[in-house]
Amino acid sequence: MSDPHGRLLVYPDASAHPTSIRAKAAIFADPKSRTLLQQLDRVAPAAAPVLIVGETGTGKELIARHLHSQSGRKGAFVAVNCGALSQSLAEAELFGHQAGSFTGADETRAGWFEAANGGTLFLDEIGDLPLPLQVKLLRVLQEREVVRVGSRKAIPLDVRLVAATNVNLAEAVTAGRFRLDLYYRLNVATFDLPPLRERHGDIMPLAEHFLSKYAQQLRVRPPVLGLDTRRALLSYAWPGNIRELENVIHFALLSADGDIRPEHLRFAAAPQTAALTPTLSPIENIATQLDKLFASSPTELYQSLEELIVRRAFSYCSQNQVQTARLLGISRNVLRTLLKRLGLISNDAVADEYPDLRLVPASD
């Protein structure tokens, strides 16, 4: 039996980085997340590079760590933020250097690639890597060996590369900021990590996880999240994704005296921009509204939704039964039974058109 709350990934030693913008936990409860997890588990044992695309705070490093843990590789997982690499020392940091190769190089040091030998190297925000370094990275990936700065000796490597970005690399290639050949090299297995606002099924399990976590730290009983509070959490756009959700829950727990109410939720003051409004399919929009309905604990929800669908379809088809049945993908007999039950047609009308048809009342 699968866990109804989904699979939980937690960042190791999260307390050592309390101000980091990275997500400290991820839960695979939403259907989109569960599908992503299945795809990740299939790719994990392979040695092919992986590219993870997603907004800041969506859990890209947690995904990379999960890939490593499921890969069977015995070496270390090494994470490097390309945006934080020093422009002058980036090559030495990635590939290592020999003593005396540049000012301040007092001793020979291995780079991040060697540190990850036999394991996984995670290059976060790879779109920030300078173009000259992209050329050298491509050579390392092609040759599967690294040459330290100041050395001529190639060191063989067995490193699985996982890269992540919050920018569109294809657009960066067009703009001349990213090499096309490196893009093709990285784009073997690409995973789009949806923002939290598109994974409604993950919001409440994550909120409850953070609530339990901080309640334990504060040595208090986890308070209740009421229906209004749940609605507020589900309807918010979460521009800061999982990390923002964690901060909101943490602050609410500190400020609430008892159960957490909507006024305890301190959302970001920054205005929501059009870029934060997801382009969802009609089915995804319906799924989002269903989550809100579920949170309100409605009565007779199935019957209400069935009636809404039938009435809207019948009206859309100008009361044409054949077209309505075709639109809904049901038989005309089933449709006429529904229409009669809803009072949209009479028994006499059906009997006149189909004298051999006997309507059967819908069972509970």
Side-chain angles (χ1 to χ4, degrees):
M1 180 179 294
S2 61
D3 182 356
H5 290 93
R7 190 168 177 178
L8 172 68
L9 302 182
V10 179
Y11 185 81
D13 302 323
S15 59
H17 307 274
T19 60
S20 171
I21 61 173
R22 64 165 55 91
K24 298 299 192 302
I27 285 179
F28 299 88
D30 188 270
K32 284 186 178 181
S33 300
R34 291 181 183 272
T35 299
L36 175 63
L37 182 62
Q38 293 171 357
Q39 295 170 344
L40 290 168
D41 287 342
R42 285 197 295 268
V43 170
V50 172
L51 179 63
I52 305 170
V53 182
E55 296 179 6
T56 299
T58 49
K60 296 189 291 295
E61 183 170 338
L62 286 168
I63 295 296
R65 288 179 178 274
H66 176 72
L67 283 168
H68 175 69
S69 69
Q70 300 299 307
S71 68
R73 302 182 70 85
K74 304 301 182 183
F77 176 88
V78 178
V80 179
N81 187 331
C82 296
L85 289 173
S86 165
Q87 289 282 348
S88 58
L89 299 177
E91 182 179 357
E93 290 184 51
L94 281 176
F95 310 129
H97 65 264
Q98 294 295 113
S101 56
F102 55 86
T103 303
D106 298 328
E107 59 183 3
T108 298
R109 292 185 60 180
W112 293 121
F113 265 94
E114 288 182 71
N117 204 4
T120 302
L121 178 63
F122 174 57
L123 295 182
D124 196 10
E125 305 308 344
I126 195 168
D128 294 336
L129 204 63
L131 281 169
L133 209 54
Q134 292 178 26
V135 179
K136 296 179 179 180
L137 173 60
L138 179 63
R139 190 195 67 80
V140 170
L141 295 178
Q142 290 173 337
E143 303 297 330
R144 303 185 68 82
E145 61 183 23
V146 66
V147 178
R148 294 173 179 170
V149 175
S151 173
R152 296 182 179 179
K153 180 182 178 181
I155 301 172
L157 291 175
D158 175 21
V159 174
R160 204 273 184 82
L161 183 70
V162 179
T165 179
N166 62 2
V167 301
N168 188 316
L169 289 185
E171 293 180 359
V173 169
T174 302
R177 299 191 304 271
F178 203 83
R179 292 185 60 91
L180 179 61
D181 46 7
L182 179 57
Y183 173 67
Y184 284 139
R185 189 75 184 185
L186 297 174
N187 196 27
V188 176
T190 299
F191 295 97
D192 291 314
L193 185 54
L196 187 57
R197 61 185 170 274
E198 295 181 19
R199 293 182 278 154
H200 269 68
D202 292 345
I203 293 176
M204 292 315 305
L206 279 168
E208 290 165 0
H209 165 72
F210 292 130
L211 194 62
S212 175
K213 168 188 171 182
Y214 285 110
Q216 185 176 13
Q217 289 183 8
L218 296 170
R219 298 182 179 179
V220 298
R221 178 176 296 181
V224 174
L225 297 174
L227 290 179
D228 289 343
T229 305
R230 290 173 177 267
R231 290 193 194 101
L233 290 171
L234 289 170
S235 61
Y236 182 59
W238 299 111
N241 291 295
I242 297 174
R243 183 58 181 171
E244 184 183 7
L245 174 60
E246 179 179 2
N247 291 340
V248 167
I249 294 297
H250 191 187
F251 177 81
L253 187 59
L254 292 172
S255 60
D257 183 13
D259 293 345
I260 293 178
R261 299 184 298 277
E263 57 265 31
H264 297 132
L265 303 176
R266 187 178 66 177
F267 296 126
Q272 304 300 308
T273 63
L276 293 176
T277 302
T279 302
L280 302 179
S281 69
I283 288 293
E284 289 172 324
N285 274 313
I286 291 172
T288 298
Q289 299 305 317
L290 278 175
D291 286 334
K292 297 177 183 178
L293 283 173
F294 295 153
S296 65
S297 301
T299 58
E300 300 182 347
L301 178 59
Y302 182 85
Q303 292 85 345
S304 299
L305 291 175
E306 182 184 60
E307 179 178 349
L308 176 64
I309 292 172
V310 173
R311 287 184 179 276
R312 298 285 292 187
F314 197 45
S315 174
Y316 179 81
C317 295
S318 301
Q319 288 73 47
N320 184 298
Q321 295 180 30
V322 175
Q323 293 181 10
T324 303
R326 185 182 298 117
L327 177 65
L328 295 177
I330 59 178
S331 71
R332 283 178 288 175
N333 287 353
V334 170
L335 174 65
R336 285 190 290 272
T337 300
L338 293 172
L339 293 175
K340 175 61 180 67
R341 192 179 73 189
L342 297 176
L344 296 177
I345 59 174
S346 66
N347 269 330
D348 293 340
V350 177
D352 289 342
E353 185 176 359
Y354 299 94
D356 296 330
L357 174 65
R358 181 174 61 89
L359 286 175
V360 179
S363 59
D364 292 335

